[in-house]
Amino acid sequence: MNVKIAGCRLELVEGDITELDTDAIVNAANAQLVLGGGVAGAIRRKGGPQIQEECNQIGGTFVGGAVITTGGKLKARHIIHAVGPQLGEGDEDEKLRKATLNSLKVADEHGLKSIAFPAISTGIFGFPIRECAEIMLHATAEYLRGKTGLERVVFCLFGRDRFDVFARELGRITGVRQ
Ligand code: AR6
């Protein structure tokens, strides 16, 4: 599913984010920047040890923050490590919104043209998928209506069910149905 928002293509795909060749892929990180399971585990396995070493140099960031490393051996040249909230810690919606906006900002600051997001916080961190879709898609649409050099933003969803939730939510926001 594809829509245009202020000249930028916003795309939904189903699959493994570590296979994508966007300028950056976003890692669903923790505040310590220790690559654990889920998306982070796939990045660690396919990208090689260099990514964790770069994370160790940075040391960590706040919940809602985003930092950048190289993509190691991955097709994507950069990884943007975005820290989403854990369900139950408080102020989750705003933290997820900030994690999305800060990732887009970091991409722009580095002159990147394309970025791919997973559904941050909806795996090990336990945040509900529908609310995630609403928050991340709204934040992205809002960001793209401002000044940006981004040409393509992808949401890469693991499994048909999660893809369908994002597709419904994107349809609701843009009025486009597919
Ligand atoms: N490609 C795309 N999406 C994926 C992939 C993949 N390869 N693998 C999982 N997902 P999670 P979180 C989906 O757990 O909830 C780690 O230990 C998954 O189905 O990766 O933010 C980190 O180090 C779910 O919908 O991230 C942190 O400590 C979504 O990606 C913590 O988990 C996010 O799941 C972060 O937890």
Side-chain angles (χ1 to χ4, degrees):
M1 181 173 180
N2 272 304
V3 299
K4 275 258 182 195
I5 297 180
C8 179
R9 186 149 57 101
L10 199 162
E11 210 177 305
L12 303 185
V13 301
E14 185 191 336
D16 179 353
I17 198 166
T18 61
E19 294 297 319
L20 299 185
D21 62 358
T22 42
D23 291 342
I25 62 170
V26 175
N27 175 28
N30 54 45
Q32 296 74 36
L33 301 179
V34 173
L35 300 167
V39 174
I43 288 173
R44 181 167 41 78
R45 284 188 299 275
K46 284 194 196 162
Q50 187 193 334
I51 300 169
Q52 182 63 69
E53 282 160 23
E54 289 181 49
C55 284
N56 295 345
Q57 291 291 318
I58 297 166
T61 188
F62 59 97
V63 181
V67 300
I68 191 165
T69 65
T70 68
K73 291 190 272 183
L74 292 173
K75 289 179 200 159
R77 281 183 300 116
H78 305 274
I79 311 284
I80 294 175
H81 303 264
V83 183
Q86 297 192 42
L87 185 66
E89 72 176 36
D91 209 12
E92 292 96 334
D93 293 11
E94 186 57 17
K95 288 170 178 169
L96 183 56
R97 201 177 88 83
K98 287 269 165 60
T100 308
L101 292 173
N102 282 324
S103 299
L104 294 163
K105 214 168 126 196
V106 167
D108 260 329
E109 283 164 2
H110 286 77
L112 308 187
K113 300 289 174 215
S114 58
I115 180 172
F117 282 100
I120 295 173
S121 288
T122 64
I124 291 161
F125 280 178
F127 195 73
I129 187 77
R130 200 204 60 77
E131 283 81 348
C132 170
E134 184 178 357
I135 293 164
M136 291 192 75
L137 290 171
H138 263 292
T140 301
E142 172 196 326
Y143 184 88
L144 294 178
R145 289 190 192 106
K147 192 170 149 33
T148 175
L150 283 164
E151 294 171 358
R152 185 176 169 225
V153 178
V154 178
F155 282 84
C156 179
L157 292 319
F158 217 37
R160 190 74 209 178
D161 291 355
R162 292 187 184 87
F163 176 90
D164 287 344
V165 173
F166 265 70
R168 261 197 308 277
E169 204 53 42
L170 187 58
R172 221 170 55 81
I173 291 172
T174 60
V176 177
R177 306 246 168 238
Q178 242 166 287

Coordinates of all heavy atoms in Angstrom, one line a residue, residues 38-134:
G38 N 13.9 -9.7 18.9 CA 13.0 -9.1 17.9 C 13.8 -8.4 16.8 O 14.8 -9.0 16.3
V39 N 13.4 -7.2 16.4 CA 14.1 -6.5 15.3 C 15.6 -6.4 15.6 O 16.5 -6.6 14.8 CB 13.5 -5.1 15.1 CG1 14.3 -4.3 14.1 CG2 12.1 -5.2 14.7
A40 N 15.9 -6.0 16.9 CA 17.3 -5.8 17.3 C 18.1 -7.1 17.1 O 19.3 -7.0 16.7 CB 17.4 -5.3 18.8
G41 N 17.5 -8.2 17.5 CA 18.2 -9.5 17.3 C 18.5 -9.8 15.9 O 19.6 -10.2 15.6
A42 N 17.6 -9.5 15.0 CA 17.8 -9.7 13.6 C 18.9 -8.8 13.0 O 19.8 -9.2 12.3 CB 16.5 -9.5 12.8
I43 N 18.9 -7.6 13.5 CA 19.9 -6.6 13.1 C 21.3 -7.1 13.6 O 22.3 -7.1 12.8 CB 19.6 -5.2 13.6 CG1 18.4 -4.6 12.9 CG2 20.8 -4.3 13.6 CD1 17.9 -3.3 13.4
R44 N 21.4 -7.6 14.8 CA 22.6 -8.0 15.4 C 23.2 -9.2 14.6 O 24.4 -9.3 14.3 CB 22.4 -8.4 16.9 CG 23.6 -8.9 17.6 CD 23.3 -8.9 19.1 NE 22.0 -9.4 19.5 CZ 21.6 -10.7 19.5 NH1 22.5 -11.6 19.2 NH2 20.4 -11.0 19.9
R45 N 22.3 -10.2 14.3 CA 22.7 -11.4 13.6 C 23.2 -11.1 12.2 O 24.2 -11.6 11.8 CB 21.6 -12.4 13.6 CG 21.4 -13.1 14.9 CD 20.4 -14.3 14.8 NE 19.1 -13.8 14.4 CZ 18.1 -13.4 15.2 NH1 18.4 -13.3 16.5 NH2 17.0 -13.0 14.7
K46 N 22.4 -10.3 11.5 CA 22.8 -10.1 10.0 C 23.7 -8.9 9.8 O 24.5 -8.9 8.9 CB 21.5 -9.7 9.3 CG 20.6 -10.9 9.0 CD 19.6 -10.6 7.9 CE 18.5 -11.6 7.9 NZ 17.3 -11.1 7.2
G47 N 23.8 -8.0 10.8 CA 24.6 -6.8 10.6 C 26.0 -7.0 11.1 O 26.9 -6.2 10.8
G48 N 26.2 -8.0 12.0 CA 27.6 -8.2 12.5 C 27.8 -7.4 13.8 O 27.0 -6.5 14.1
P49 N 28.9 -7.6 14.5 CA 29.2 -7.0 15.8 C 29.5 -5.5 15.8 O 29.4 -4.9 16.9 CB 30.4 -7.8 16.3 CG 31.0 -8.4 15.1 CD 29.9 -8.6 14.1
Q50 N 29.8 -5.0 14.6 CA 30.2 -3.6 14.6 C 29.0 -2.6 15.1 O 29.3 -1.6 15.7 CB 30.5 -3.2 13.1 CG 31.0 -1.8 13.0 CD 31.1 -1.4 11.5 OE1 31.1 -2.3 10.6 NE2 31.0 -0.1 11.2
I51 N 27.8 -3.0 14.8 CA 26.7 -2.2 15.2 C 26.6 -2.1 16.7 O 26.4 -0.9 17.3 CB 25.3 -2.7 14.6 CG1 25.5 -2.7 13.1 CG2 24.2 -1.8 15.0 CD1 24.3 -3.5 12.3
Q52 N 26.7 -3.2 17.4 CA 26.7 -3.1 18.9 C 27.9 -2.3 19.4 O 27.7 -1.6 20.4 CB 26.7 -4.5 19.5 CG 26.6 -4.6 21.0 CD 25.3 -4.0 21.6 OE1 24.2 -4.5 21.4 NE2 25.4 -2.8 22.2
E53 N 29.0 -2.5 18.8 CA 30.2 -1.7 19.2 C 29.9 -0.2 19.1 O 30.3 0.6 20.0 CB 31.4 -2.1 18.4 CG 32.0 -3.4 18.8 CD 32.9 -4.1 17.8 OE1 33.4 -3.4 16.9 OE2 33.1 -5.3 17.8
E54 N 29.3 0.2 18.0 CA 29.0 1.6 17.8 C 28.0 2.1 18.8 O 28.1 3.2 19.4 CB 28.4 1.9 16.4 CG 29.5 1.8 15.3 CD 28.9 2.0 13.9 OE1 28.2 3.1 13.8 OE2 29.2 1.2 13.0
C55 N 27.0 1.2 19.2 CA 26.0 1.6 20.2 C 26.7 1.7 21.5 O 26.4 2.6 22.3 CB 25.0 0.4 20.3 SG 23.8 0.4 19.0
N56 N 27.7 0.9 21.8 CA 28.4 1.0 23.1 C 29.2 2.3 23.2 O 29.2 2.9 24.3 CB 29.4 -0.1 23.3 CG 28.7 -1.5 23.4 OD1 27.5 -1.6 23.6 ND2 29.5 -2.6 23.2
Q57 N 29.7 2.8 22.1 CA 30.4 4.1 22.0 C 29.4 5.2 22.4 O 29.7 6.1 23.1 CB 30.9 4.4 20.6 CG 32.1 3.5 20.2 CD 33.3 3.8 21.1 OE1 33.7 5.0 21.3 NE2 34.0 2.8 21.5
I58 N 28.2 5.1 21.9 CA 27.2 6.2 22.1 C 26.7 6.0 23.6 O 26.5 7.0 24.3 CB 26.0 6.0 21.2 CG1 26.4 6.2 19.7 CG2 24.9 7.0 21.5 CD1 25.4 5.8 18.7
G59 N 26.5 4.8 24.1 CA 26.3 4.6 25.5 C 24.8 4.5 25.9 O 24.5 3.8 26.8
G60 N 23.9 5.1 25.2 CA 22.5 5.1 25.5 C 21.8 6.3 25.2 O 22.4 7.3 24.8
T61 N 20.4 6.3 25.3 CA 19.6 7.5 25.0 C 18.3 7.4 25.8 O 18.1 6.4 26.4 CB 19.4 7.8 23.5 OG1 18.8 9.1 23.4 CG2 18.5 6.8 22.9
F62 N 17.5 8.5 25.8 CA 16.3 8.5 26.6 C 15.1 7.8 25.8 O 15.2 7.6 24.6 CB 15.9 10.0 26.9 CG 15.7 10.8 25.6 CD1 14.4 11.0 25.1 CD2 16.8 11.4 25.0 CE1 14.2 11.8 24.0 CE2 16.6 12.2 23.8 CZ 15.3 12.4 23.3
V63 N 14.1 7.4 26.6 CA 12.9 6.8 25.9 C 12.3 7.9 25.1 O 12.0 9.0 25.6 CB 12.0 6.2 27.0 CG1 10.8 5.6 26.3 CG2 12.7 5.2 27.9
G64 N 12.0 7.6 23.8 CA 11.5 8.6 22.9 C 12.7 9.2 22.0 O 12.4 9.9 21.1
G65 N 13.9 8.9 22.3 CA 15.1 9.4 21.6 C 15.5 8.5 20.4 O 15.0 7.3 20.4
A66 N 16.3 9.0 19.6 CA 16.8 8.2 18.5 C 18.3 8.5 18.2 O 18.6 9.7 18.2 CB 16.0 8.4 17.2
V67 N 19.1 7.5 17.9 CA 20.5 7.8 17.6 C 20.9 7.0 16.3 O 20.2 6.0 16.0 CB 21.5 7.4 18.7 CG1 21.2 8.2 20.0 CG2 21.4 5.9 19.0
I68 N 22.0 7.3 15.7 CA 22.3 6.7 14.4 C 23.7 6.0 14.5 O 24.6 6.4 15.1 CB 22.3 7.7 13.3 CG1 22.3 7.0 11.9 CG2 23.4 8.7 13.4 CD1 21.9 8.0 10.7
T69 N 23.7 4.8 13.8 CA 25.0 4.1 13.6 C 25.0 3.7 12.2 O 24.1 3.9 11.4 CB 25.1 2.8 14.5 OG1 24.1 1.8 14.0 CG2 25.0 3.1 16.0
T70 N 26.2 3.1 11.8 CA 26.2 2.5 10.4 C 25.3 1.2 10.4 O 24.9 0.7 11.5 CB 27.6 2.1 10.0 OG1 28.0 1.0 10.8 CG2 28.6 3.3 10.2
G71 N 25.1 0.7 9.2 CA 24.3 -0.5 9.1 C 25.2 -1.8 9.1 O 24.6 -2.9 8.8
G72 N 26.5 -1.7 9.4 CA 27.3 -2.9 9.4 C 27.2 -3.6 8.1 O 27.4 -3.0 7.0
K73 N 26.9 -4.9 8.1 CA 26.9 -5.7 6.9 C 25.5 -5.7 6.2 O 25.2 -6.4 5.2 CB 27.3 -7.1 7.2 CG 28.8 -7.2 7.5 CD 29.2 -8.7 7.6 CE 29.0 -9.2 8.9 NZ 29.5 -10.6 9.2
L74 N 24.6 -4.9 6.8 CA 23.2 -4.9 6.2 C 23.2 -4.1 4.9 O 24.1 -3.3 4.6 CB 22.2 -4.2 7.2 CG 21.9 -5.1 8.4 CD1 21.1 -4.3 9.4 CD2 21.2 -6.4 8.1
K75 N 22.1 -4.3 4.1 CA 22.0 -3.5 2.9 C 21.8 -2.0 3.2 O 22.3 -1.1 2.5 CB 20.7 -4.0 2.1 CG 20.9 -5.3 1.5 CD 19.6 -5.7 0.7 CE 19.6 -7.2 0.5 NZ 18.3 -7.8 0.3
A76 N 21.0 -1.7 4.2 CA 20.8 -0.3 4.7 C 22.1 0.2 5.2 O 22.8 -0.4 6.0 CB 19.7 -0.3 5.7
R77 N 22.5 1.4 4.8 CA 23.8 2.0 5.2 C 23.8 2.5 6.6 O 24.8 2.7 7.2 CB 24.2 3.1 4.2 CG 24.8 2.6 2.9 CD 25.3 3.7 2.0 NE 24.2 4.6 1.7 CZ 24.1 5.9 2.0 NH1 25.1 6.4 2.7 NH2 23.1 6.6 1.6
H78 N 22.6 2.8 7.1 CA 22.5 3.3 8.5 C 21.4 2.6 9.3 O 20.4 2.1 8.7 CB 22.1 4.8 8.5 CG 23.0 5.6 7.6 ND1 24.2 6.2 8.1 CD2 22.9 6.0 6.3 CE1 24.7 6.8 7.2 NE2 24.0 6.7 6.1
I79 N 21.6 2.5 10.6 CA 20.6 2.1 11.5 C 20.2 3.3 12.4 O 21.1 3.9 13.0 CB 21.0 0.9 12.5 CG1 21.7 -0.2 11.7 CG2 19.8 0.4 13.3 CD1 20.8 -1.1 10.9
I80 N 19.0 3.6 12.5 CA 18.5 4.6 13.5 C 17.9 3.8 14.6 O 16.9 3.1 14.4 CB 17.5 5.6 12.8 CG1 18.3 6.4 11.8 CG2 16.9 6.5 13.9 CD1 17.5 7.4 11.0
H81 N 18.5 3.9 15.8 CA 18.0 3.2 17.0 C 17.0 4.1 17.7 O 17.4 5.1 18.3 CB 19.2 2.8 17.9 CG 20.3 2.1 17.1 ND1 20.3 0.7 17.2 CD2 21.3 2.5 16.3 CE1 21.4 0.3 16.4 NE2 21.9 1.3 15.9
A82 N 15.8 3.7 17.7 CA 14.7 4.5 18.3 C 14.2 3.8 19.5 O 13.9 2.6 19.5 CB 13.6 4.7 17.3
V83 N 14.1 4.5 20.7 CA 13.7 3.8 21.9 C 12.3 4.1 22.2 O 11.8 5.2 22.4 CB 14.6 4.4 23.1 CG1 14.2 3.6 24.4 CG2 16.1 4.2 22.8
G84 N 11.4 3.0 22.0 CA 10.0 3.1 22.3 C 9.8 2.8 23.8 O 10.6 2.3 24.5
P85 N 8.5 3.1 24.2 CA 8.2 2.8 25.6 C 7.8 1.4 25.9 O 7.4 0.7 24.9 CB 6.9 3.7 25.8 CG 6.3 3.7 24.5 CD 7.4 3.7 23.5
Q86 N 8.0 0.9 27.1 CA 7.4 -0.4 27.5 C 6.0 -0.2 28.0 O 5.8 0.8 28.8 CB 8.3 -1.0 28.6 CG 9.7 -1.2 28.2 CD 10.4 -2.1 29.2 OE1 9.9 -3.1 29.8 NE2 11.7 -1.7 29.5
L87 N 5.1 -1.0 27.7 CA 3.7 -0.9 28.1 C 3.7 -0.9 29.7 O 4.4 -1.7 30.3 CB 2.9 -2.1 27.6 CG 1.4 -2.0 28.0 CD1 0.7 -0.9 27.3 CD2 0.7 -3.4 27.7
G88 N 3.0 0.1 30.2 CA 2.9 0.2 31.7 C 3.8 1.2 32.3 O 3.7 1.5 33.5
E89 N 4.8 1.7 31.6 CA 5.8 2.6 32.2 C 5.3 4.1 32.4 O 5.9 4.9 33.1 CB 7.1 2.6 31.5 CG 7.1 3.3 30.2 CD 8.5 3.3 29.5 OE1 9.3 2.3 29.7 OE2 8.8 4.3 28.9
G90 N 4.2 4.4 31.7 CA 3.6 5.7 31.7 C 3.9 6.6 30.6 O 5.0 6.5 30.0
D91 N 3.0 7.5 30.1 CA 3.2 8.4 29.0 C 3.6 7.7 27.7 O 4.4 8.3 26.9 CB 4.2 9.5 29.5 CG 4.0 10.8 28.8 OD1 3.0 11.0 28.2 OD2 4.9 11.6 28.9
E92 N 3.1 6.5 27.5 CA 3.6 5.7 26.4 C 3.3 6.3 25.0 O 4.2 6.3 24.2 CB 3.0 4.3 26.4 CG 3.4 3.4 27.5 CD 2.4 3.4 28.7 OE1 1.7 4.5 28.8 OE2 2.3 2.5 29.4
D93 N 2.1 6.9 24.9 CA 1.7 7.5 23.6 C 2.7 8.6 23.1 O 3.2 8.6 22.0 CB 0.3 8.0 23.6 CG -0.7 7.0 23.8 OD1 -0.4 5.8 24.1 OD2 -1.9 7.3 23.6
E94 N 3.0 9.5 24.1 CA 3.8 10.6 23.7 C 5.3 10.1 23.5 O 6.0 10.7 22.6 CB 3.8 11.7 24.9 CG 4.6 12.9 24.6 CD 4.1 13.7 23.4 OE1 3.0 13.4 22.8 OE2 4.9 14.5 22.9
K95 N 5.7 9.1 24.2 CA 7.1 8.6 24.0 C 7.2 7.9 22.7 O 8.2 8.1 22.0 CB 7.4 7.6 25.1 CG 7.7 8.3 26.5 CD 7.8 7.3 27.6 CE 8.1 7.9 28.9 NZ 7.9 6.9 30.0
L96 N 6.2 7.2 22.2 CA 6.2 6.6 20.9 C 6.2 7.6 19.8 O 6.9 7.5 18.8 CB 5.0 5.6 20.8 CG 5.0 4.8 19.5 CD1 6.3 4.0 19.3 CD2 3.8 3.8 19.5
R97 N 5.4 8.7 20.0 CA 5.3 9.8 19.0 C 6.7 10.4 18.9 O 7.2 10.6 17.8 CB 4.3 10.8 19.6 CG 3.7 11.7 18.5 CD 2.7 12.6 19.1 NE 3.3 13.8 19.7 CZ 3.6 14.9 18.9 NH1 3.3 14.9 17.6 NH2 4.2 15.9 19.5
K98 N 7.3 10.7 20.0 CA 8.7 11.3 20.0 C 9.7 10.4 19.4 O 10.6 10.9 18.6 CB 9.1 11.6 21.5 CG 8.4 12.8 22.1 CD 9.2 14.1 21.8 CE 8.4 15.3 22.1 NZ 7.9 15.4 23.5
A99 N 9.6 9.1 19.6 CA 10.6 8.2 19.0 C 10.4 8.2 17.5 O 11.4 8.1 16.8 CB 10.3 6.7 19.6
T100 N 9.2 8.3 17.0 CA 9.0 8.4 15.6 C 9.5 9.7 15.0 O 10.3 9.7 14.0 CB 7.5 8.2 15.3 OG1 6.9 7.1 16.0 CG2 7.2 8.1 13.8
L101 N 9.1 10.8 15.6 CA 9.6 12.1 15.1 C 11.1 12.3 15.2 O 11.7 12.8 14.2 CB 8.9 13.2 15.9 CG 7.4 13.4 15.7 CD1 6.8 14.4 16.7 CD2 7.0 13.7 14.3
N102 N 11.7 11.8 16.3 CA 13.1 11.9 16.4 C 13.9 11.1 15.4 O 14.9 11.5 14.9 CB 13.6 11.6 17.8 CG 13.3 12.8 18.8 OD1 13.4 13.9 18.4 ND2 12.9 12.5 20.0
S103 N 13.3 9.9 15.0 CA 14.0 9.1 14.0 C 13.9 9.8 12.7 O 14.9 9.8 11.9 CB 13.2 7.8 13.8 OG 13.2 7.1 15.0
L104 N 12.8 10.4 12.3 CA 12.7 11.2 11.0 C 13.6 12.3 11.0 O 14.3 12.6 10.0 CB 11.2 11.6 10.8 CG 10.2 10.4 10.7 CD1 8.8 10.9 10.9 CD2 10.4 9.8 9.3
K105 N 13.8 13.0 12.2 CA 14.6 14.2 12.3 C 16.1 13.7 12.1 O 16.9 14.4 11.4 CB 14.4 14.8 13.7 CG 14.6 16.2 13.7 CD 14.1 16.8 15.1 CE 15.2 17.6 15.7 NZ 15.0 17.9 17.1
V106 N 16.5 12.7 12.7 CA 17.9 12.2 12.6 C 18.2 11.8 11.1 O 19.2 12.1 10.6 CB 18.1 10.9 13.5 CG1 19.4 10.2 13.2 CG2 18.1 11.4 15.0
A107 N 17.2 11.2 10.5 CA 17.4 10.9 9.0 C 17.6 12.1 8.2 O 18.5 12.2 7.4 CB 16.1 10.1 8.5
D108 N 16.8 13.2 8.5 CA 17.0 14.4 7.8 C 18.3 15.1 8.1 O 19.0 15.6 7.2 CB 15.8 15.4 8.1 CG 14.7 15.4 7.0 OD1 15.1 15.2 5.9 OD2 13.6 15.6 7.4
E109 N 18.7 15.1 9.3 CA 20.0 15.7 9.7 C 21.1 15.0 9.0 O 22.2 15.7 8.8 CB 20.2 15.6 11.3 CG 19.3 16.6 12.0 CD 19.2 16.2 13.5 OE1 19.8 15.2 14.0 OE2 18.5 16.9 14.2
H110 N 21.0 13.8 8.6 CA 22.1 13.1 7.9 C 21.8 13.0 6.4 O 22.5 12.3 5.7 CB 22.2 11.7 8.5 CG 22.9 11.7 9.8 ND1 22.2 12.0 11.0 CD2 24.2 11.5 10.2 CE1 23.1 12.0 12.0 NE2 24.2 11.7 11.5
G111 N 20.9 13.8 5.9 CA 20.6 13.9 4.5 C 20.1 12.7 3.8 O 20.2 12.5 2.6
L112 N 19.4 11.8 4.6 CA 18.9 10.6 4.1 C 17.6 10.8 3.3 O 16.8 11.7 3.7 CB 18.7 9.5 5.2 CG 19.9 9.3 6.1 CD1 19.6 8.1 7.1 CD2 21.2 9.0 5.3
K113 N 17.4 10.0 2.3 CA 16.2 10.1 1.4 C 15.1 9.1 1.8 O 14.0 9.3 1.4 CB 16.6 10.0 0.0 CG 17.6 11.0 -0.5 CD 16.9 12.4 -0.6 CE 17.9 13.5 -1.0 NZ 17.6 14.7 -0.3
S114 N 15.5 8.0 2.4 CA 14.6 6.9 2.7 C 14.8 6.2 4.0 O 16.0 6.1 4.4 CB 14.6 5.9 1.5 OG 15.8 5.3 1.4
I115 N 13.7 5.8 4.6 CA 13.8 5.2 6.0 C 12.7 4.2 6.1 O 11.6 4.4 5.6 CB 13.7 6.4 7.1 CG1 13.8 5.8 8.5 CG2 12.4 7.2 6.9 CD1 13.9 6.9 9.6
A116 N 13.0 3.1 6.8 CA 12.0 2.1 7.1 C 11.9 1.9 8.6 O 12.9 1.7 9.3 CB 12.4 0.8 6.4
F117 N 10.6 1.9 9.0 CA 10.3 1.7 10.5 C 9.7 0.3 10.7 O 8.8 -0.1 9.9 CB 9.2 2.6 10.9 CG 9.6 4.0 11.2 CD1 9.4 5.0 10.2 CD2 10.2 4.4 12.4 CE1 9.8 6.3 10.5 CE2 10.5 5.7 12.7 CZ 10.3 6.7 11.7
P118 N 9.9 -0.3 11.8 CA 9.1 -1.5 12.3 C 8.0 -0.9 13.2 O 8.0 0.3 13.4 CB 10.1 -2.3 13.1 CG 11.0 -1.2 13.8 CD 11.1 -0.1 12.8
A119 N 7.1 -1.7 13.7 CA 6.1 -1.3 14.6 C 6.7 -1.2 16.0 O 6.6 -2.2 16.7 CB 4.9 -2.2 14.5
I120 N 7.3 -0.1 16.3 CA 8.1 0.1 17.5 C 7.3 -0.2 18.8 O 6.1 0.1 18.8 CB 8.6 1.5 17.6 CG1 9.6 1.8 16.5 CG2 9.3 1.8 19.0 CD1 10.1 3.2 16.4
S121 N 7.8 -0.9 19.7 CA 7.2 -1.2 21.0 C 6.2 -2.4 21.0 O 5.7 -2.7 22.1 CB 6.6 0.0 21.7 OG 7.6 0.9 22.1
T122 N 5.8 -2.9 19.8 CA 4.7 -3.8 19.8 C 5.1 -5.3 19.9 O 4.3 -6.2 19.8 CB 3.9 -3.7 18.5 OG1 4.7 -4.0 17.4 CG2 3.3 -2.3 18.3
G123 N 6.4 -5.6 20.2 CA 6.9 -6.9 20.4 C 7.1 -7.2 21.9 O 6.2 -7.2 22.7
I124 N 8.4 -7.2 22.2 CA 8.8 -7.5 23.6 C 8.3 -6.4 24.5 O 8.0 -6.7 25.7 CB 10.4 -7.6 23.6 CG1 10.8 -8.9 22.9 CG2 11.0 -7.6 25.0 CD1 12.2 -9.0 22.4
F125 N 8.2 -5.2 24.1 CA 7.7 -4.1 24.9 C 6.2 -4.0 25.1 O 5.7 -3.2 25.9 CB 8.2 -2.7 24.4 CG 9.7 -2.4 24.8 CD1 10.3 -1.3 24.3 CD2 10.4 -3.3 25.6 CE1 11.6 -1.0 24.7 CE2 11.7 -3.0 25.9 CZ 12.3 -1.9 25.5
G126 N 5.4 -4.9 24.4 CA 4.0 -5.1 24.7 C 3.0 -4.1 24.4 O 1.8 -4.2 24.8
F127 N 3.3 -3.1 23.6 CA 2.4 -2.0 23.3 C 1.4 -2.5 22.2 O 1.8 -3.2 21.3 CB 3.2 -0.8 22.8 CG 2.4 0.5 22.7 CD1 2.0 1.2 23.9 CD2 1.9 1.0 21.5 CE1 1.3 2.3 23.9 CE2 1.2 2.2 21.5 CZ 0.9 2.9 22.7
P128 N 0.1 -2.1 22.3 CA -0.9 -2.6 21.3 C -0.6 -2.1 19.9 O -0.3 -0.9 19.7 CB -2.2 -2.1 21.9 CG -1.9 -1.1 22.9 CD -0.5 -1.3 23.4
I129 N -0.9 -3.0 18.9 CA -0.5 -2.7 17.5 C -1.4 -1.6 16.9 O -0.9 -0.7 16.2 CB -0.6 -4.0 16.7 CG1 0.0 -3.7 15.3 CG2 -1.9 -4.6 16.6 CD1 1.4 -3.6 15.1
R130 N -2.7 -1.6 17.3 CA -3.6 -0.5 16.6 C -3.2 0.9 17.1 O -3.1 1.8 16.3 CB -5.1 -0.8 16.9 CG -6.0 -0.1 15.9 CD -7.3 0.2 16.4 NE -7.4 1.0 17.6 CZ -7.2 2.4 17.6 NH1 -6.9 3.0 16.5 NH2 -7.2 3.0 18.8
E131 N -3.0 1.0 18.4 CA -2.5 2.3 18.9 C -1.2 2.7 18.3 O -0.9 3.9 18.0 CB -2.4 2.3 20.4 CG -3.8 2.4 21.1 CD -4.5 1.0 21.2 OE1 -4.1 0.1 20.6 OE2 -5.5 1.0 22.0
C132 N -0.3 1.7 18.2 CA 1.0 2.0 17.6 C 0.9 2.5 16.2 O 1.5 3.5 15.8 CB 1.9 0.7 17.6 SG 3.4 0.9 16.6
A133 N 0.0 1.9 15.4 CA -0.2 2.3 14.0 C -0.8 3.7 14.0 O -0.3 4.6 13.2 CB -1.2 1.4 13.3
E134 N -1.7 4.0 14.8 CA -2.3 5.4 14.8 C -1.3 6.4 15.2 O -1.1 7.4 14.5 CB -3.5 5.4 15.9 CG -4.2 6.7 15.9 CD -5.3 6.7 16.9 OE1 -5.6 5.6 17.5 OE2 -5.9 7.8 17.1

